Amino acid sequence: MKDIDVIAVLQDPVRRRLYEYVAAQAREVGRNEAAEAAGVARTLAAHHLDRLVEAGLLESGSRRLTGRSGPGAGRPAKVYTRARVERSVSLPARDYRTAAELLAEAAEEAGLDAGLCAAARRRGESLRGAAAPCGGLEEAMEVLAARGYEPHLEGGEGAEEGDGGPERVVRMRNCPFHAVAERFPPLVCGMNLALLEGLLGADGPVRARMDARPGECCVVVEASKDNEH
């Protein structure tokens, strides 16, 4: 199925709500949960979820949602997660990925990491414009969401350094530069960090730092040490 046909599958409003809900979760989602979130019957949700699997937008599997195993645990249920395959449409056809990969390869071979990071930081500052640095993690999440990073907050509410609880940190389920970052991780991840430093404001209440985790953006955002209470 061509990418334009795949994206057309999301034209149905129920199907799109189901896809957006599953995509927003960092775990497998069962049919009952997805149906409730979309406000539709389970049978209708099952039909649309399987259609999304056929289109390659979701992946499916099965597991026991009760958490139990052995006799009496019940039959495994069908579960869904967002597919890792990237889809894009450009009319007329464009091939920016190849250009980005060639530029990244040339920059890496020429040792232009520092220059690239400096340019990325300036671009982040330009995108922020005259706005002050982000005032907190919630504001940072709004900025990151607008750029396609799919941020989510981890850690206990009100957690502070040294209290034994998890610190609050913003992680991102999507890297907008994923395809190029896979081929040139040090170069592109460094560029990404510098871009977010400029976008969020390096001297403000939040800071970006490297903390790679499989399947997520290599950068996380947390409260600056100077602004912790």
Side-chain angles (χ1 to χ4, degrees):
M1 186 179 289
K2 295 181 179 180
D3 281 3
I4 192 169
D5 297 320
V6 170
I7 294 174
V9 169
L10 295 173
Q11 183 175 0
D12 183 280
V14 173
R15 199 173 293 156
R16 184 165 184 172
R17 289 203 303 274
L18 288 165
Y19 172 78
E20 288 175 345
Y21 179 77
V22 174
Q25 313 308 309
R27 54 179 173 77
E28 297 170 323
V29 175
R31 286 173 168 175
N32 287 340
E33 179 186 348
E36 183 177 353
V40 298
R42 182 183 184 279
T43 52
L44 180 60
H47 166 74
H48 284 303
L49 288 167
D50 288 339
R51 183 72 182 90
L52 290 166
V53 172
E54 292 173 7
L57 290 165
L58 296 181
E59 295 176 355
S60 65
S62 61
R63 67 176 177 86
R64 289 187 173 90
L65 299 178
T66 61
R68 297 181 297 169
S69 60
R75 297 177 59 186
K78 201 163 188 179
V79 292
Y80 302 85
T81 56
R82 179 170 60 179
R84 301 302 301 174
V85 178
E86 182 179 322
R87 305 286 185 178
S88 63
V89 173
S90 176
L91 298 174
R94 297 288 188 262
D95 188 7
Y96 299 115
R97 178 183 296 182
T98 297
E101 290 178 348
L102 287 170
L103 290 168
E105 183 177 353
E108 189 173 74
E109 291 178 352
L112 300 178
D113 304 55
L116 177 61
C117 287
R121 192 171 290 104
R122 290 194 300 270
R123 174 57 63 90
E125 292 170 349
S126 176
L127 291 171
R128 179 160 52 89
C134 284
L137 294 181
E138 287 73 18
E139 184 180 342
M141 289 178 68
E142 293 179 5
V143 173
L144 294 167
R147 303 296 303 175
Y149 283 92
E150 298 184 7
H152 64 103
L153 189 63
E154 287 190 358
E157 294 185 4
E160 297 185 17
E161 185 180 16
D163 68 355
E167 295 183 7
R168 300 174 77 211
V169 61
V170 175
R171 293 188 178 274
M172 294 164 271
R173 296 193 178 105
N174 182 52
C175 172
F177 316 111
H178 174 73
V180 187
E182 276 196 320
R183 288 197 58 188
F184 308 95
L187 182 78
V188 178
C189 290
M191 177 201 74
N192 187 26
L193 174 61
L195 177 70
L196 292 182
E197 287 174 342
L199 183 64
L200 301 176
D203 299 324
V206 301
R207 71 173 185 123
R209 64 174 174 84
M210 288 287 191
D211 188 11
R213 178 187 286 185
E216 295 190 348
C217 178
C218 59
V219 179
V220 299
V221 177
E222 62 186 6
S224 299
K225 299 301 180 182
D226 293 341
N227 289 277
E228 290 181 345
H229 301 289

PDB file of all heavy atoms in Angstrom, residues 149 169-178 181-182 184-194 196 208-221:
ATOM      1  N   TYR A 149       7.408  16.358  18.958  1.00  0.00           N
ATOM      2  CA  TYR A 149       8.224  15.462  19.781  1.00  0.00           C
ATOM      3  C   TYR A 149       7.397  14.473  20.612  1.00  0.00           C
ATOM      4  O   TYR A 149       7.945  13.529  21.165  1.00  0.00           O
ATOM      5  CB  TYR A 149       9.103  16.274  20.727  1.00  0.00           C
ATOM      6  CG  TYR A 149      10.320  16.894  20.069  1.00  0.00           C
ATOM      7  CD1 TYR A 149      10.275  18.174  19.543  1.00  0.00           C
ATOM      8  CD2 TYR A 149      11.517  16.187  19.972  1.00  0.00           C
ATOM      9  CE1 TYR A 149      11.381  18.758  18.944  1.00  0.00           C
ATOM     10  CE2 TYR A 149      12.637  16.754  19.377  1.00  0.00           C
ATOM     11  CZ  TYR A 149      12.565  18.037  18.863  1.00  0.00           C
ATOM     12  OH  TYR A 149      13.667  18.602  18.270  1.00  0.00           O
ATOM     13  N   VAL A 169      10.667  14.424  34.805  1.00  0.00           N
ATOM     14  CA  VAL A 169      11.437  14.637  33.585  1.00  0.00           C
ATOM     15  C   VAL A 169      10.511  14.465  32.393  1.00  0.00           C
ATOM     16  O   VAL A 169       9.581  13.646  32.417  1.00  0.00           O
ATOM     17  CB  VAL A 169      12.627  13.650  33.495  1.00  0.00           C
ATOM     18  CG1 VAL A 169      12.150  12.213  33.477  1.00  0.00           C
ATOM     19  CG2 VAL A 169      13.484  13.936  32.282  1.00  0.00           C
ATOM     20  N   VAL A 170      10.709  15.260  31.376  1.00  0.00           N
ATOM     21  CA  VAL A 170       9.917  15.153  30.154  1.00  0.00           C
ATOM     22  C   VAL A 170      10.686  14.306  29.153  1.00  0.00           C
ATOM     23  O   VAL A 170      11.812  14.648  28.753  1.00  0.00           O
ATOM     24  CB  VAL A 170       9.625  16.541  29.548  1.00  0.00           C
ATOM     25  CG1 VAL A 170       8.904  16.399  28.210  1.00  0.00           C
ATOM     26  CG2 VAL A 170       8.781  17.371  30.506  1.00  0.00           C
ATOM     27  N   ARG A 171      10.097  13.192  28.766  1.00  0.00           N
ATOM     28  CA  ARG A 171      10.650  12.341  27.715  1.00  0.00           C
ATOM     29  C   ARG A 171       9.782  12.477  26.468  1.00  0.00           C
ATOM     30  O   ARG A 171       8.623  12.877  26.555  1.00  0.00           O
ATOM     31  CB  ARG A 171      10.729  10.884  28.168  1.00  0.00           C
ATOM     32  CG  ARG A 171      11.731  10.676  29.285  1.00  0.00           C
ATOM     33  CD  ARG A 171      11.945   9.203  29.602  1.00  0.00           C
ATOM     34  NE  ARG A 171      12.948   9.034  30.637  1.00  0.00           N
ATOM     35  CZ  ARG A 171      14.254   8.969  30.408  1.00  0.00           C
ATOM     36  NH1 ARG A 171      14.702   9.039  29.158  1.00  0.00           N
ATOM     37  NH2 ARG A 171      15.108   8.829  31.402  1.00  0.00           N
ATOM     38  N   MET A 172      10.354  12.140  25.331  1.00  0.00           N
ATOM     39  CA  MET A 172       9.651  12.336  24.064  1.00  0.00           C
ATOM     40  C   MET A 172       9.581  11.036  23.283  1.00  0.00           C
ATOM     41  O   MET A 172      10.610  10.393  23.041  1.00  0.00           O
ATOM     42  CB  MET A 172      10.354  13.441  23.267  1.00  0.00           C
ATOM     43  CG  MET A 172      10.247  14.798  23.951  1.00  0.00           C
ATOM     44  SD  MET A 172      11.412  16.035  23.328  1.00  0.00           S
ATOM     45  CE  MET A 172      12.832  15.759  24.394  1.00  0.00           C
ATOM     46  N   ARG A 173       8.364  10.662  22.936  1.00  0.00           N
ATOM     47  CA  ARG A 173       8.150   9.389  22.248  1.00  0.00           C
ATOM     48  C   ARG A 173       8.510   9.447  20.777  1.00  0.00           C
ATOM     49  O   ARG A 173       8.603   8.426  20.117  1.00  0.00           O
ATOM     50  CB  ARG A 173       6.687   8.956  22.407  1.00  0.00           C
ATOM     51  CG  ARG A 173       6.288   8.675  23.858  1.00  0.00           C
ATOM     52  CD  ARG A 173       4.953   7.959  23.936  1.00  0.00           C
ATOM     53  NE  ARG A 173       4.625   7.656  25.321  1.00  0.00           N
ATOM     54  CZ  ARG A 173       3.720   8.309  26.037  1.00  0.00           C
ATOM     55  NH1 ARG A 173       3.069   9.310  25.487  1.00  0.00           N
ATOM     56  NH2 ARG A 173       3.478   7.977  27.283  1.00  0.00           N
ATOM     57  N   ASN A 174       8.696  10.654  20.241  1.00  0.00           N
ATOM     58  CA  ASN A 174       9.020  10.778  18.823  1.00  0.00           C
ATOM     59  C   ASN A 174      10.225  11.680  18.617  1.00  0.00           C
ATOM     60  O   ASN A 174      10.346  12.725  19.258  1.00  0.00           O
ATOM     61  CB  ASN A 174       7.834  11.359  18.046  1.00  0.00           C
ATOM     62  CG  ASN A 174       8.118  11.451  16.560  1.00  0.00           C
ATOM     63  OD1 ASN A 174       8.514  10.479  15.928  1.00  0.00           O
ATOM     64  ND2 ASN A 174       7.931  12.633  15.986  1.00  0.00           N
ATOM     65  N   CYS A 175      11.101  11.264  17.732  1.00  0.00           N
ATOM     66  CA  CYS A 175      12.215  12.114  17.310  1.00  0.00           C
ATOM     67  C   CYS A 175      11.927  12.576  15.878  1.00  0.00           C
ATOM     68  O   CYS A 175      11.852  11.741  14.964  1.00  0.00           O
ATOM     69  CB  CYS A 175      13.535  11.350  17.346  1.00  0.00           C
ATOM     70  SG  CYS A 175      14.915  12.276  16.606  1.00  0.00           S
ATOM     71  N   PRO A 176      11.746  13.865  15.647  1.00  0.00           N
ATOM     72  CA  PRO A 176      11.468  14.349  14.292  1.00  0.00           C
ATOM     73  C   PRO A 176      12.589  14.066  13.297  1.00  0.00           C
ATOM     74  O   PRO A 176      12.377  14.151  12.090  1.00  0.00           O
ATOM     75  CB  PRO A 176      11.292  15.861  14.489  1.00  0.00           C
ATOM     76  CG  PRO A 176      10.896  16.016  15.925  1.00  0.00           C
ATOM     77  CD  PRO A 176      11.659  14.949  16.635  1.00  0.00           C
ATOM     78  N   PHE A 177      13.772  13.727  13.810  1.00  0.00           N
ATOM     79  CA  PHE A 177      14.927  13.470  12.932  1.00  0.00           C
ATOM     80  C   PHE A 177      15.312  11.990  12.956  1.00  0.00           C
ATOM     81  O   PHE A 177      16.455  11.629  12.684  1.00  0.00           O
ATOM     82  CB  PHE A 177      16.116  14.320  13.385  1.00  0.00           C
ATOM     83  CG  PHE A 177      15.749  15.740  13.712  1.00  0.00           C
ATOM     84  CD1 PHE A 177      15.789  16.205  15.017  1.00  0.00           C
ATOM     85  CD2 PHE A 177      15.330  16.611  12.721  1.00  0.00           C
ATOM     86  CE1 PHE A 177      15.432  17.505  15.328  1.00  0.00           C
ATOM     87  CE2 PHE A 177      14.975  17.913  13.016  1.00  0.00           C
ATOM     88  CZ  PHE A 177      15.023  18.370  14.321  1.00  0.00           C
ATOM     89  N   HIS A 178      14.356  11.119  13.262  1.00  0.00           N
ATOM     90  CA  HIS A 178      14.632   9.707  13.540  1.00  0.00           C
ATOM     91  C   HIS A 178      15.421   9.019  12.422  1.00  0.00           C
ATOM     92  O   HIS A 178      16.413   8.347  12.688  1.00  0.00           O
ATOM     93  CB  HIS A 178      13.313   8.969  13.771  1.00  0.00           C
ATOM     94  CG  HIS A 178      13.463   7.493  13.916  1.00  0.00           C
ATOM     95  ND1 HIS A 178      14.009   6.900  15.040  1.00  0.00           N
ATOM     96  CD2 HIS A 178      13.159   6.471  13.069  1.00  0.00           C
ATOM     97  CE1 HIS A 178      14.019   5.595  14.892  1.00  0.00           C
ATOM     98  NE2 HIS A 178      13.528   5.303  13.706  1.00  0.00           N
ATOM     99  N   ALA A 181      18.922  10.315  12.332  1.00  0.00           N
ATOM    100  CA  ALA A 181      19.584  10.031  13.605  1.00  0.00           C
ATOM    101  C   ALA A 181      20.009   8.568  13.701  1.00  0.00           C
ATOM    102  O   ALA A 181      21.023   8.251  14.329  1.00  0.00           O
ATOM    103  CB  ALA A 181      18.666  10.385  14.771  1.00  0.00           C
ATOM    104  N   GLU A 182      19.256   7.674  13.083  1.00  0.00           N
ATOM    105  CA  GLU A 182      19.623   6.258  13.103  1.00  0.00           C
ATOM    106  C   GLU A 182      20.949   6.019  12.389  1.00  0.00           C
ATOM    107  O   GLU A 182      21.733   5.161  12.797  1.00  0.00           O
ATOM    108  CB  GLU A 182      18.523   5.424  12.445  1.00  0.00           C
ATOM    109  CG  GLU A 182      17.381   5.064  13.373  1.00  0.00           C
ATOM    110  CD  GLU A 182      16.531   3.940  12.827  1.00  0.00           C
ATOM    111  OE1 GLU A 182      16.270   3.940  11.595  1.00  0.00           O
ATOM    112  OE2 GLU A 182      16.141   3.063  13.600  1.00  0.00           O
ATOM    113  N   PHE A 184      23.339   8.528  11.730  1.00  0.00           N
ATOM    114  CA  PHE A 184      24.407   9.389  12.251  1.00  0.00           C
ATOM    115  C   PHE A 184      24.050   9.851  13.668  1.00  0.00           C
ATOM    116  O   PHE A 184      23.824  11.046  13.904  1.00  0.00           O
ATOM    117  CB  PHE A 184      24.605  10.605  11.335  1.00  0.00           C
ATOM    118  CG  PHE A 184      24.792  10.261   9.881  1.00  0.00           C
ATOM    119  CD1 PHE A 184      23.714  10.259   9.010  1.00  0.00           C
ATOM    120  CD2 PHE A 184      26.048   9.916   9.394  1.00  0.00           C
ATOM    121  CE1 PHE A 184      23.871   9.938   7.678  1.00  0.00           C
ATOM    122  CE2 PHE A 184      26.220   9.586   8.056  1.00  0.00           C
ATOM    123  CZ  PHE A 184      25.133   9.592   7.191  1.00  0.00           C
ATOM    124  N   PRO A 185      23.983   8.908  14.613  1.00  0.00           N
ATOM    125  CA  PRO A 185      23.483   9.260  15.952  1.00  0.00           C
ATOM    126  C   PRO A 185      24.255  10.346  16.686  1.00  0.00           C
ATOM    127  O   PRO A 185      23.635  11.294  17.187  1.00  0.00           O
ATOM    128  CB  PRO A 185      23.486   7.922  16.704  1.00  0.00           C
ATOM    129  CG  PRO A 185      24.335   7.003  15.884  1.00  0.00           C
ATOM    130  CD  PRO A 185      24.243   7.473  14.478  1.00  0.00           C
ATOM    131  N   PRO A 186      25.585  10.299  16.788  1.00  0.00           N
ATOM    132  CA  PRO A 186      26.264  11.361  17.543  1.00  0.00           C
ATOM    133  C   PRO A 186      26.038  12.743  16.940  1.00  0.00           C
ATOM    134  O   PRO A 186      25.776  13.713  17.657  1.00  0.00           O
ATOM    135  CB  PRO A 186      27.742  10.953  17.486  1.00  0.00           C
ATOM    136  CG  PRO A 186      27.736   9.495  17.189  1.00  0.00           C
ATOM    137  CD  PRO A 186      26.552   9.293  16.297  1.00  0.00           C
ATOM    138  N   LEU A 187      26.132  12.829  15.623  1.00  0.00           N
ATOM    139  CA  LEU A 187      25.986  14.107  14.943  1.00  0.00           C
ATOM    140  C   LEU A 187      24.579  14.676  15.105  1.00  0.00           C
ATOM    141  O   LEU A 187      24.386  15.825  15.522  1.00  0.00           O
ATOM    142  CB  LEU A 187      26.314  13.942  13.462  1.00  0.00           C
ATOM    143  CG  LEU A 187      26.247  15.227  12.618  1.00  0.00           C
ATOM    144  CD1 LEU A 187      27.497  16.065  12.854  1.00  0.00           C
ATOM    145  CD2 LEU A 187      26.118  14.870  11.130  1.00  0.00           C
ATOM    146  N   VAL A 188      23.572  13.861  14.783  1.00  0.00           N
ATOM    147  CA  VAL A 188      22.198  14.346  14.764  1.00  0.00           C
ATOM    148  C   VAL A 188      21.643  14.519  16.173  1.00  0.00           C
ATOM    149  O   VAL A 188      20.901  15.474  16.438  1.00  0.00           O
ATOM    150  CB  VAL A 188      21.305  13.412  13.921  1.00  0.00           C
ATOM    151  CG1 VAL A 188      19.857  13.881  13.939  1.00  0.00           C
ATOM    152  CG2 VAL A 188      21.816  13.348  12.489  1.00  0.00           C
ATOM    153  N   CYS A 189      22.010  13.636  17.089  1.00  0.00           N
ATOM    154  CA  CYS A 189      21.534  13.790  18.470  1.00  0.00           C
ATOM    155  C   CYS A 189      22.137  15.048  19.103  1.00  0.00           C
ATOM    156  O   CYS A 189      21.456  15.759  19.852  1.00  0.00           O
ATOM    157  CB  CYS A 189      21.872  12.557  19.293  1.00  0.00           C
ATOM    158  SG  CYS A 189      20.900  11.098  18.835  1.00  0.00           S
ATOM    159  N   GLY A 190      23.404  15.326  18.800  1.00  0.00           N
ATOM    160  CA  GLY A 190      24.014  16.557  19.290  1.00  0.00           C
ATOM    161  C   GLY A 190      23.340  17.782  18.712  1.00  0.00           C
ATOM    162  O   GLY A 190      23.110  18.776  19.408  1.00  0.00           O
ATOM    163  N   MET A 191      22.988  17.718  17.436  1.00  0.00           N
ATOM    164  CA  MET A 191      22.260  18.807  16.789  1.00  0.00           C
ATOM    165  C   MET A 191      20.896  19.008  17.436  1.00  0.00           C
ATOM    166  O   MET A 191      20.460  20.139  17.707  1.00  0.00           O
ATOM    167  CB  MET A 191      22.082  18.497  15.307  1.00  0.00           C
ATOM    168  CG  MET A 191      21.276  19.521  14.524  1.00  0.00           C
ATOM    169  SD  MET A 191      20.584  18.837  12.973  1.00  0.00           S
ATOM    170  CE  MET A 191      19.260  17.809  13.628  1.00  0.00           C
ATOM    171  N   ASN A 192      20.223  17.903  17.717  1.00  0.00           N
ATOM    172  CA  ASN A 192      18.901  17.953  18.331  1.00  0.00           C
ATOM    173  C   ASN A 192      18.964  18.601  19.714  1.00  0.00           C
ATOM    174  O   ASN A 192      18.131  19.444  20.068  1.00  0.00           O
ATOM    175  CB  ASN A 192      18.339  16.533  18.429  1.00  0.00           C
ATOM    176  CG  ASN A 192      16.899  16.504  18.890  1.00  0.00           C
ATOM    177  OD1 ASN A 192      16.146  17.459  18.709  1.00  0.00           O
ATOM    178  ND2 ASN A 192      16.508  15.403  19.496  1.00  0.00           N
ATOM    179  N   LEU A 193      19.953  18.219  20.498  1.00  0.00           N
ATOM    180  CA  LEU A 193      20.125  18.800  21.831  1.00  0.00           C
ATOM    181  C   LEU A 193      20.345  20.303  21.730  1.00  0.00           C
ATOM    182  O   LEU A 193      19.722  21.088  22.460  1.00  0.00           O
ATOM    183  CB  LEU A 193      21.300  18.138  22.544  1.00  0.00           C
ATOM    184  CG  LEU A 193      21.694  18.737  23.899  1.00  0.00           C
ATOM    185  CD1 LEU A 193      20.545  18.635  24.887  1.00  0.00           C
ATOM    186  CD2 LEU A 193      22.945  18.042  24.435  1.00  0.00           C
ATOM    187  N   ALA A 194      21.214  20.724  20.837  1.00  0.00           N
ATOM    188  CA  ALA A 194      21.500  22.151  20.679  1.00  0.00           C
ATOM    189  C   ALA A 194      20.262  22.914  20.212  1.00  0.00           C
ATOM    190  O   ALA A 194      19.992  24.029  20.679  1.00  0.00           O
ATOM    191  CB  ALA A 194      22.645  22.344  19.686  1.00  0.00           C
ATOM    192  N   LEU A 196      17.133  22.170  20.860  1.00  0.00           N
ATOM    193  CA  LEU A 196      16.204  22.304  21.981  1.00  0.00           C
ATOM    194  C   LEU A 196      16.739  23.256  23.046  1.00  0.00           C
ATOM    195  O   LEU A 196      15.955  23.928  23.725  1.00  0.00           O
ATOM    196  CB  LEU A 196      15.914  20.926  22.580  1.00  0.00           C
ATOM    197  CG  LEU A 196      15.121  19.983  21.666  1.00  0.00           C
ATOM    198  CD1 LEU A 196      14.838  18.662  22.359  1.00  0.00           C
ATOM    199  CD2 LEU A 196      13.824  20.632  21.204  1.00  0.00           C
ATOM    200  N   ALA A 208      17.645  20.989  28.736  1.00  0.00           N
ATOM    201  CA  ALA A 208      17.651  19.763  27.941  1.00  0.00           C
ATOM    202  C   ALA A 208      18.987  19.066  28.135  1.00  0.00           C
ATOM    203  O   ALA A 208      20.021  19.714  28.273  1.00  0.00           O
ATOM    204  CB  ALA A 208      17.433  20.088  26.464  1.00  0.00           C
ATOM    205  N   ARG A 209      18.958  17.740  28.174  1.00  0.00           N
ATOM    206  CA  ARG A 209      20.195  16.969  28.303  1.00  0.00           C
ATOM    207  C   ARG A 209      20.016  15.630  27.598  1.00  0.00           C
ATOM    208  O   ARG A 209      18.901  15.178  27.336  1.00  0.00           O
ATOM    209  CB  ARG A 209      20.560  16.738  29.768  1.00  0.00           C
ATOM    210  CG  ARG A 209      19.567  15.887  30.553  1.00  0.00           C
ATOM    211  CD  ARG A 209      20.075  15.593  31.950  1.00  0.00           C
ATOM    212  NE  ARG A 209      19.083  14.895  32.762  1.00  0.00           N
ATOM    213  CZ  ARG A 209      18.886  13.575  32.746  1.00  0.00           C
ATOM    214  NH1 ARG A 209      19.618  12.806  31.940  1.00  0.00           N
ATOM    215  NH2 ARG A 209      17.974  13.016  33.511  1.00  0.00           N
ATOM    216  N   MET A 210      21.140  14.990  27.307  1.00  0.00           N
ATOM    217  CA  MET A 210      21.119  13.679  26.667  1.00  0.00           C
ATOM    218  C   MET A 210      20.744  12.601  27.674  1.00  0.00           C
ATOM    219  O   MET A 210      21.237  12.573  28.797  1.00  0.00           O
ATOM    220  CB  MET A 210      22.495  13.347  26.087  1.00  0.00           C
ATOM    221  CG  MET A 210      22.865  14.138  24.854  1.00  0.00           C
ATOM    222  SD  MET A 210      21.934  13.565  23.424  1.00  0.00           S
ATOM    223  CE  MET A 210      22.837  14.424  22.133  1.00  0.00           C
ATOM    224  N   ASP A 211      19.854  11.708  27.270  1.00  0.00           N
ATOM    225  CA  ASP A 211      19.524  10.524  28.063  1.00  0.00           C
ATOM    226  C   ASP A 211      18.795   9.557  27.139  1.00  0.00           C
ATOM    227  O   ASP A 211      17.581   9.428  27.179  1.00  0.00           O
ATOM    228  CB  ASP A 211      18.667  10.880  29.272  1.00  0.00           C
ATOM    229  CG  ASP A 211      18.477   9.683  30.205  1.00  0.00           C
ATOM    230  OD1 ASP A 211      19.178   8.664  30.018  1.00  0.00           O
ATOM    231  OD2 ASP A 211      17.621   9.765  31.096  1.00  0.00           O
ATOM    232  N   ALA A 212      19.554   8.894  26.280  1.00  0.00           N
ATOM    233  CA  ALA A 212      18.966   8.052  25.236  1.00  0.00           C
ATOM    234  C   ALA A 212      18.249   6.859  25.836  1.00  0.00           C
ATOM    235  O   ALA A 212      18.694   6.259  26.813  1.00  0.00           O
ATOM    236  CB  ALA A 212      20.055   7.575  24.281  1.00  0.00           C
ATOM    237  N   ARG A 213      17.119   6.528  25.238  1.00  0.00           N
ATOM    238  CA  ARG A 213      16.332   5.360  25.615  1.00  0.00           C
ATOM    239  C   ARG A 213      15.773   4.768  24.328  1.00  0.00           C
ATOM    240  O   ARG A 213      15.277   5.511  23.479  1.00  0.00           O
ATOM    241  CB  ARG A 213      15.199   5.751  26.567  1.00  0.00           C
ATOM    242  CG  ARG A 213      14.303   4.584  26.963  1.00  0.00           C
ATOM    243  CD  ARG A 213      13.095   5.051  27.757  1.00  0.00           C
ATOM    244  NE  ARG A 213      13.448   5.418  29.114  1.00  0.00           N
ATOM    245  CZ  ARG A 213      12.539   5.773  30.036  1.00  0.00           C
ATOM    246  NH1 ARG A 213      11.261   5.817  29.708  1.00  0.00           N
ATOM    247  NH2 ARG A 213      12.925   6.087  31.243  1.00  0.00           N
ATOM    248  N   PRO A 214      15.835   3.432  24.165  1.00  0.00           N
ATOM    249  CA  PRO A 214      15.358   2.821  22.917  1.00  0.00           C
ATOM    250  C   PRO A 214      13.923   3.228  22.594  1.00  0.00           C
ATOM    251  O   PRO A 214      13.053   3.226  23.468  1.00  0.00           O
ATOM    252  CB  PRO A 214      15.451   1.322  23.211  1.00  0.00           C
ATOM    253  CG  PRO A 214      16.528   1.205  24.242  1.00  0.00           C
ATOM    254  CD  PRO A 214      16.391   2.429  25.099  1.00  0.00           C
ATOM    255  N   GLY A 215      13.704   3.604  21.341  1.00  0.00           N
ATOM    256  CA  GLY A 215      12.368   3.936  20.883  1.00  0.00           C
ATOM    257  C   GLY A 215      11.905   5.340  21.208  1.00  0.00           C
ATOM    258  O   GLY A 215      10.768   5.695  20.896  1.00  0.00           O
ATOM    259  N   GLU A 216      12.765   6.153  21.837  1.00  0.00           N
ATOM    260  CA  GLU A 216      12.387   7.519  22.182  1.00  0.00           C
ATOM    261  C   GLU A 216      13.467   8.482  21.726  1.00  0.00           C
ATOM    262  O   GLU A 216      14.550   8.078  21.305  1.00  0.00           O
ATOM    263  CB  GLU A 216      12.168   7.658  23.691  1.00  0.00           C
ATOM    264  CG  GLU A 216      10.999   6.842  24.223  1.00  0.00           C
ATOM    265  CD  GLU A 216      10.662   7.179  25.657  1.00  0.00           C
ATOM    266  OE1 GLU A 216      11.473   7.869  26.320  1.00  0.00           O
ATOM    267  OE2 GLU A 216       9.594   6.758  26.131  1.00  0.00           O
ATOM    268  N   CYS A 217      13.147   9.781  21.803  1.00  0.00           N
ATOM    269  CA  CYS A 217      14.129  10.811  21.481  1.00  0.00           C
ATOM    270  C   CYS A 217      15.303  10.713  22.446  1.00  0.00           C
ATOM    271  O   CYS A 217      15.141  10.361  23.613  1.00  0.00           O
ATOM    272  CB  CYS A 217      13.456  12.185  21.569  1.00  0.00           C
ATOM    273  SG  CYS A 217      14.563  13.575  21.260  1.00  0.00           S
ATOM    274  N   CYS A 218      16.493  11.048  21.964  1.00  0.00           N
ATOM    275  CA  CYS A 218      17.698  10.932  22.779  1.00  0.00           C
ATOM    276  C   CYS A 218      17.829  12.038  23.822  1.00  0.00           C
ATOM    277  O   CYS A 218      18.692  11.982  24.690  1.00  0.00           O
ATOM    278  CB  CYS A 218      18.933  10.941  21.875  1.00  0.00           C
ATOM    279  SG  CYS A 218      19.066  12.445  20.865  1.00  0.00           S
ATOM    280  N   VAL A 219      16.982  13.050  23.752  1.00  0.00           N
ATOM    281  CA  VAL A 219      17.052  14.198  24.655  1.00  0.00           C
ATOM    282  C   VAL A 219      15.884  14.166  25.629  1.00  0.00           C
ATOM    283  O   VAL A 219      14.767  13.789  25.261  1.00  0.00           O
ATOM    284  CB  VAL A 219      17.033  15.521  23.862  1.00  0.00           C
ATOM    285  CG1 VAL A 219      17.074  16.720  24.803  1.00  0.00           C
ATOM    286  CG2 VAL A 219      18.209  15.579  22.892  1.00  0.00           C
ATOM    287  N   VAL A 220      16.128  14.535  26.879  1.00  0.00           N
ATOM    288  CA  VAL A 220      15.070  14.715  27.858  1.00  0.00           C
ATOM    289  C   VAL A 220      15.140  16.140  28.390  1.00  0.00           C
ATOM    290  O   VAL A 220      16.165  16.814  28.260  1.00  0.00           O
ATOM    291  CB  VAL A 220      15.179  13.712  29.027  1.00  0.00           C
ATOM    292  CG1 VAL A 220      15.066  12.285  28.531  1.00  0.00           C
ATOM    293  CG2 VAL A 220      16.479  13.913  29.795  1.00  0.00           C
ATOM    294  N   VAL A 221      14.059  16.585  28.988  1.00  0.00           N
ATOM    295  CA  VAL A 221      13.987  17.938  29.534  1.00  0.00           C
ATOM    296  C   VAL A 221      13.620  17.827  31.009  1.00  0.00           C
ATOM    297  O   VAL A 221      12.715  17.075  31.376  1.00  0.00           O
ATOM    298  CB  VAL A 221      12.944  18.785  28.786  1.00  0.00           C
ATOM    299  CG1 VAL A 221      12.824  20.178  29.408  1.00  0.00           C
ATOM    300  CG2 VAL A 221      13.316  18.902  27.303  1.00  0.00           C
TER     301      VAL A 221
END
